[in-house]
């Protein structure tokens, strides 16, 4: 399946995947919850690949991201993943009424026959995989466009900006670099994190998905025990500027994840190694939903461990 995802990424075909993460590997815990497919979704394919991943945390965001995912897929002409954990995708939740937004769908840079004729009259050539605007996103046509210049070959092997087969190293590098630029552009369009903070607090907690409400209650318990914290809910990959700003503002970051290998922490450390040193991973991967008690106990255990190491030094 990853090969088909890589084909869509390289040929720049919009598509959306809804992933409900259960316990693995293999069949693992088929009726239990986890967040252990984040790194898989982020880089699904062989070769250098990065995908947009939306991460809802409740029923309203599941509903909202369902719509937004198609807008992003068409705007960026790329696969988009919606990463629910099984606690969201299988269990019963109460929510406010779900409201469908009235904004029109965003089809992105899709050229009509009339637009292509305007281009032709202006001496401008339609090149399927060429970056006209400097944002990494090319223009495209769709089946049914009858203009004489609308057709092109969708090629999953090496190609140049004109969609023609090529093994030229410069053509190949141009396409890969443009795909990366397009991914960087997406940082400005994916859902921004939800942040709860007050001035002067230097300890932060980051979470994503269904951990949101348990972490909020855990913060109340930590405050009662004398530890004030700020909080950020990550709602998408690639990471937005708000994520790096939040991390830069705090001395210690507790990152709550429902997987064994701290996958989100690894993504942050890879992209921002200077900030990654602040991360202390809080990991819950027994297949059960995160509880405030578990978060509090792991944070206090981690804090005590740091204190002991500091004392020994």
């Amino acid at each position: 399946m990853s090969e088909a995802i890589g084909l869509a990424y390289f040929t720049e075909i919009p598509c959306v995947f809804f992933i409900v993460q259960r316990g693995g590997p293999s069949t693992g815990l088929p009726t239990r919850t986890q967040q252990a497919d984040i790194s898989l979704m982020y880089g699904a394919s062989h070769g250098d690949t990065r995908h947009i991943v939306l991460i809802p945390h409740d029923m309203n965001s599941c509903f909202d991201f369902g719509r937004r995912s198609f807008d992003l897929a068409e705007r960026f002409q790329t696969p988009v993943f919606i990463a629910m954990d099984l606690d969201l995708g299988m269990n019963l939740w109460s929510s406010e009424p779900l409201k469908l937004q009235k904004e029109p769908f965003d089809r992105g840079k899709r050229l009509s026959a009339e637009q292509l004729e305007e281009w032709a009259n202006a001496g401008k050539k339609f090149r399927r995989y060429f970056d006209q605007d400097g944002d990494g996103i090319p223009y495209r046509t769709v089946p049914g466009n009858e203009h004489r210049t609308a057709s092109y070959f969708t090629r999953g092997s090496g190609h140049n900006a004109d969609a023609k087969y090529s093994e030229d190293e410069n053509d190949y590098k141009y396409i890969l670099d443009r795909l990366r630029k397009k991914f960087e552009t997406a940082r400005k369009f994916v859902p921004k994190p939800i942040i709860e903070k007050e001035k002067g607090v230097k300890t932060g907690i980051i979470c994503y998905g269904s951990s949101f409400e348990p972490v909020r209650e855990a913060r109340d318990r930590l405050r009662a025990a004398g530890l004030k914290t700020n909080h950020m809910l990550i709602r998408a990959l690639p990471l937005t500027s708000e994520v790096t700003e939040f991390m830069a503002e705090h001395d210690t970051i507790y990152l709550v994840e429902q997987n064994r290998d701290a996958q989100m922490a690894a993504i942050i450390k890879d992209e921002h190694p200077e900030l990654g040193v602040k991360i202390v991973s809080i990991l819950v991967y027994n297949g059960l939903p995160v509880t405030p008690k578990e978060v509090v106990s792991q944070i206090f255990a981690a804090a005590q461990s740091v204190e002991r190491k500091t004392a020994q030094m």
Side-chain angles (χ1 to χ4, degrees), residues 3-234:
E3 289 184 347
I5 294 168
L7 174 65
Y9 173 78
F10 197 47
T11 57
E12 300 178 70
I13 298 174
C15 47
V16 174
F17 299 89
F18 290 78
I19 308 297
V20 179
Q21 301 168 87
R22 67 182 191 181
S26 186
T27 47
L29 299 175
T31 63
R32 301 290 183 174
T33 190
Q34 246 180 40
Q35 297 172 331
D37 298 335
I38 293 295
S39 59
L40 172 65
M41 286 181 272
Y42 197 42
S45 178
H46 49 293
D48 293 320
T49 310
R50 280 290 180 265
H51 299 299
I52 296 172
V53 182
L54 307 186
I55 312 174
H57 65 283
D58 60 12
M59 292 301 100
N60 275 281
S61 56
C62 285
F63 185 76
D64 180 45
F65 288 3
R67 172 191 167 89
R68 295 177 69 175
S69 64
F70 286 90
D71 284 348
L72 289 167
E74 294 220 55
R75 172 183 281 272
F76 291 97
Q77 305 168 32
T78 194
V80 173
F81 291 84
I82 297 184
M84 293 176 283
D85 37 83
L86 186 139
D87 193 22
L88 291 173
M90 189 174 188
N91 293 329
L92 296 177
W93 286 66
S94 61
S95 73
E96 297 296 326
L98 304 177
K99 297 180 180 179
L100 185 63
Q101 301 299 318
K102 297 181 179 180
E103 290 84 357
F105 289 107
D106 183 356
R107 301 300 187 188
K109 297 181 179 181
R110 193 171 79 173
L111 294 170
S112 65
E114 293 74 19
Q115 289 171 314
L116 284 173
E117 186 61 24
E118 291 176 4
W119 279 30
N121 292 335
K124 190 174 180 180
K125 182 182 178 182
F126 168 53
R127 308 176 69 190
R128 172 63 184 99
Y129 295 116
F130 180 69
D131 183 5
Q132 296 273 4
D133 303 323
D135 57 4
I137 307 170
Y139 287 84
R140 66 184 177 116
T141 57
V142 298
N145 189 322
E146 297 181 353
H147 195 271
R148 62 190 181 279
T149 66
S151 62
Y152 62 91
F153 190 83
T154 303
R155 185 180 295 279
S157 54
H159 52 268
N160 62 17
D162 295 305
K164 296 179 180 178
Y165 179 77
S166 174
E167 290 193 19
D168 181 271
E169 61 271 21
N170 294 318
D171 288 339
Y172 178 69
K173 189 174 183 295
Y174 171 80
I175 297 296
L176 284 189
D177 289 345
R178 183 181 57 72
L179 289 171
R180 182 70 194 202
K181 182 186 289 186
K182 180 170 71 170
F183 178 78
E184 293 299 323
T185 300
R187 295 184 192 274
K188 300 176 183 178
F189 292 87
V190 298
K192 297 182 183 300
I194 294 175
I195 297 175
E196 302 168 307
K197 67 178 182 179
E198 57 183 275
K199 292 183 179 180
V201 175
K202 290 300 182 180
T203 299
I205 302 179
I206 297 176
C207 71
Y208 55 97
S210 64
S211 303
F212 180 60
E213 293 298 346
V215 166
R216 297 184 81 194
E217 182 175 335
R219 292 182 63 223
D220 290 338
R221 298 188 184 190
L222 290 168
R223 177 185 288 272
L227 177 60
K228 293 182 178 180
T229 63
N230 289 332
H231 181 210
M232 179 173 66
L233 173 76
I234 292 177

Side-chain angles (χ1 to χ4, degrees), residues 234-303:
I234 292 177
R235 300 201 297 162
L237 294 171
L239 301 168
T240 66
S241 60
E242 289 80 6
V243 176
T244 54
E245 290 168 5
F246 182 89
M247 294 192 65
E249 293 169 353
H250 296 84
D251 297 332
T252 302
I253 300 290
Y254 294 103
L255 178 46
V256 180
E257 302 194 55
Q258 297 177 48
N259 59 69
R260 181 196 67 184
D261 294 340
Q263 294 181 19
M264 184 65 76
I267 291 171
I268 296 175
K269 290 176 181 178
D270 178 61
E271 296 189 6
H272 302 285
E274 74 286 0
L275 298 176
V277 295
K278 300 181 178 184
I279 294 176
V280 178
S281 290
I282 306 299
L283 305 176
V284 181
Y285 51 92
N286 56 8
L288 299 176
V290 173
T291 65
K293 180 180 179 181
E294 180 71 17
V295 173
V296 170
S297 63
Q298 286 202 39
I299 286 179
F300 276 136

